[in-house]
Amino acid sequence: QLQESGPGLVKPSETLSLTCTVSGGSISSSSYHWGWIRQPPGKGLEWIGFIYYSGSTYYNPSLRSRVTISVDTSKSQFSLKLNSVTAADTAVYYCGRHYGSGIDYWGQGTLVTVSS
Amino acid sequence: EIVLTQSPGTLSLSPGERATLSCRASQSISSSFLAWYQQRPGQAPRLLIYGASNRATGIPDRFSGSGSGTDFTLTISRLEPEDFAVYYCQQYGRSLMYTFGQGTKLEIK
């Protein structure tokens, strides 16, 4: 299971921070990447990036300058930071286990609203 | 960057009918790296198909995927009421980046 947590409201220009807690499996498995996907209200899915347990990261080029994904294997958690947010970053944020060509497990999602 | 274009945008069918959803890539991709998802309202997406034609764990056999190169298809052989949802294709490229199509909404006619 994957579970997102973090603030549901972030002010413009500040940093969005979310954590995904992984249970029922090892975040240190070499078979998986762990990543983030978002979905603005009423719109489609946008992949943000993923991290390997070793710390290697890969980001969507359109967000790369503002995104950091990190992992804490001791807590079975990985995290997302997105800085300098605007209203366009308002979305449901999902964490997901990336396995091969697909994302086979998803968190339930958490809505983050950017507003003053 | 590879762009995935799904068609139609909306598909109106009745339970029991066959649904055919299309996903076209802007350049040739390996079928090994093409996946399909179902998203019901208020829920997270669910992986249906990976590697273009392999059903994910627990997915009924009425769902099938096919295709190669730039053209891929998701077929639902006989629609059940719970199949009416939004469907996304997704590719995983050599650039180690995931890209989603814009989605096809399958609605009850």
Side-chain angles (χ1 to χ4, degrees):
Chain A
Q1 282 192 326
L2 289 81
Q3 179 68 57
E4 304 91 351
S5 59
L9 181 64
V10 181
K11 290 183 169 56
S13 80
E14 295 190 344
T15 297
L16 178 160
S17 296
L18 295 174
T19 296
C20 182
T21 301
V22 179
S23 59
S26 174
I27 199 170
S28 299
S29 170
S30 60
S31 299
Y32 312 119
H33 291 86
W34 305 91
W36 294 91
I37 308 95
R38 70 180 183 178
Q39 185 171 36
K43 297 188 178 180
L45 300 165
E46 180 179 34
W47 180 76
I48 299 171
F50 63 51
I51 190 166
Y52 198 43
Y53 77 98
S54 62
S56 300
T57 52
Y58 301 90
Y59 300 133
N60 186 325
S62 68
L63 297 169
R64 183 176 291 140
S65 63
R66 298 194 292 131
V67 172
T68 302
I69 297 176
S70 58
V71 65
D72 185 338
T73 55
S74 67
K75 295 181 178 179
S76 288
Q77 294 178 334
F78 61 102
S79 298
L80 169 70
K81 290 189 185 299
L82 180 67
N83 58 37
S84 304
V85 297
T86 69
D89 295 310
T90 293
V92 174
Y93 285 77
Y94 297 100
C95 59
R97 189 179 83 169
H98 295 49
Y99 178 51
S101 60
I103 303 167
D104 61 350
Y105 282 93
W106 296 65
Q108 65 185 24
T110 186
L111 174 63
V112 179
T113 302
V114 179
S115 175
S116 55
Chain B
E1 178 186 336
I2 295 176
V3 176
L4 299 179
T5 301
Q6 294 186 238
S7 61
T10 302
L11 184 58
S12 300
L13 294 170
S14 300
E17 291 192 295
R18 180 185 187 91
T20 303
L21 286 67
S22 174
C23 177
R24 176 163 290 178
S26 58
Q27 56 186 278
S28 183
I29 61 176
S30 169
S31 58
S32 297
F33 298 130
L34 194 287
W36 289 92
Y37 299 84
Q38 176 194 69
Q39 187 177 33
R40 295 172 177 148
Q43 295 186 14
R46 177 174 69 146
L47 178 65
L48 297 176
I49 301 288
Y50 65 93
S53 61
N54 302 289
R55 276 187 300 276
T57 302
I59 302 303
D61 60 7
R62 64 180 181 274
F63 290 91
S64 63
S66 63
S68 63
T70 60
D71 292 305
F72 297 88
T73 300
L74 174 69
T75 301
I76 310 171
S77 59
R78 286 181 57 86
L79 286 166
E80 299 286 343
E82 63 268 26
D83 298 337
F84 292 92
V86 179
Y87 292 83
Y88 294 95
C89 59
Q90 166 251 298
Q91 70 91 28
Y92 174 51
R94 284 191 293 270
S95 59
L96 301 181
M97 177 178 167
Y98 287 73
T99 306
F100 291 94
Q102 84 279 16
T104 290
K105 181 179 181 181
L106 179 55
E107 64 176 24
I108 299 177
K109 186 174 182 180

